[in-house]
Amino acid sequence: MFDVARSGRPRQYDTDAKARVTALACTTPPGTWPGHCEPGDRAAHAQKNDLKTWRRMMWCIAAFTEEDRHRMYALLELYARPLSKAEPVICIDEKSLQLLAHSRDPLPMAAHSPTKQDDEYVRNGTTHLFVAVEPKAGQRIVEVTQQRGKIDFVAFVSDLLTHAYAKARRVYLVLDNLNTHFRKSFDDALGKRAAAKPLRRVQFHDTPKHASWLSMAEIESASSVRQFGWPSGRGGRPPRH
């Protein structure tokens, strides 16, 4: 059995055992159903250099419950509503950011040469973003905070109700299942009597569990990560400051 080396020349394995190990690594993983094939799968005779060890496949394996189905359809109906200043639909998301500084000054861009920066960096702590998106109005409101506890969440929503949406009769809030995204956070932060006034104007809509991408604020945040290089909090590289 032969393997094409990086030079392009065929290379013979020392033993048949090595060939069998390579062929086994390239075949369909044990336990998959007959005929199942994923992109990049190879037959038993695949070449060793065809392995793409950096590739990963991710998917949600949780069961989709009746509650999840109800939440999904409620959100889709909400998004289908026409634009209304009296009853806006607002999606909220939160994102943590690492603040990094250059350990050495970058070399500036020149003709036919991109900017060059050292891979080493200095950590300058973290910060947090609260993002509110009104999809139909094309409006995005961002607030930077040092923390993102229930007090910060309540303060952000209260500020939306007091300023940007002060004239709204009712506000539909689309939220994921973070443990601070509940009515109880208002009671804990403001007290029940003080929380009752703003909550009269708010209707909460939760995304299904393991499906927070149904919040358009999360889609907006993910798009910003790709466009501006914000970190995702899961291994993404943050911008330098």
Side-chain angles (χ1 to χ4, degrees):
M1 182 172 181
F2 291 87
D3 167 43
V4 178
R6 292 184 181 275
S7 62
R9 295 189 298 272
R11 181 176 59 199
Q12 189 169 15
Y13 286 103
D14 297 333
T15 64
D16 289 341
K18 290 183 179 180
R20 287 196 296 271
V21 169
T22 301
L24 180 63
C26 297
T27 55
T28 305
T32 56
W33 54 90
H36 175 68
C37 183
E38 296 290 350
D41 284 349
R42 297 291 188 272
H45 63 275
Q47 304 293 329
K48 185 175 76 171
N49 285 349
D50 281 345
L51 290 176
K52 297 178 175 60
T53 57
W54 61 89
R55 295 186 63 183
R56 298 289 187 274
M57 295 188 67
M58 299 181 66
W59 64 92
C60 177
I61 60 176
F64 198 67
T65 65
E66 188 61 33
E67 180 187 30
D68 294 330
R69 187 175 290 105
H70 174 76
R71 289 183 178 186
M72 180 183 69
Y73 286 128
L75 283 181
L76 294 178
E77 290 177 4
L78 196 64
Y79 289 149
R81 288 171 173 260
L83 175 65
S84 172
K85 291 184 178 181
E87 296 188 347
V89 176
I90 306 167
C91 306
I92 292 179
D93 189 33
E94 303 174 24
K95 185 169 293 294
S96 297
L97 302 176
Q98 273 195 95
L99 301 178
L100 304 182
H102 294 288
S103 60
R104 299 175 181 84
D105 292 336
L107 300 178
M109 177 175 58
H112 307 293
S113 178
T115 301
K116 299 179 179 65
Q117 66 182 39
D118 199 287
D119 188 65
E120 187 178 275
Y121 56 87
V122 178
R123 297 181 185 273
N124 281 339
T126 60
T127 192
H128 305 278
L129 298 180
F130 281 88
V131 182
V133 176
E134 186 183 356
K136 288 289 178 67
Q139 177 169 260
R140 175 179 62 188
I141 298 173
V142 180
E143 183 175 327
V144 181
T145 64
Q146 290 300 315
Q147 299 177 338
R148 59 168 190 168
K150 65 176 66 175
I151 294 177
D152 306 281
F153 167 69
V154 171
F156 179 65
V157 174
S158 298
D159 188 69
L160 292 176
L161 297 174
T162 305
H163 296 93
Y165 299 99
K167 297 181 179 180
R169 180 174 61 250
R170 174 175 294 177
V171 175
Y172 297 95
L173 289 185
V174 178
L175 301 160
D176 61 20
N177 293 273
L178 191 65
N179 60 357
T180 58
H181 291 174
F182 297 99
R183 300 178 68 95
K184 187 177 183 301
S185 293
F186 285 80
D187 295 336
D188 293 344
L190 303 176
K192 288 189 175 182
R193 291 189 63 181
K197 183 177 179 180
L199 288 178
R200 280 198 296 266
R201 300 171 53 211
V202 176
Q203 187 176 110
F204 291 87
H205 286 264
D206 299 320
T207 62
K209 295 178 181 179
H210 304 291
S212 58
W213 45 267
L214 278 172
S215 168
M216 292 194 182
E218 179 149 331
I219 298 173
E220 176 85 7
S221 297
S223 177
S224 297
V225 168
R226 292 191 295 270
Q227 184 175 358
F228 301 111
W230 294 354
S232 64
R234 300 175 183 175
R237 288 294 300 273
R240 304 299 178 103
H241 292 268

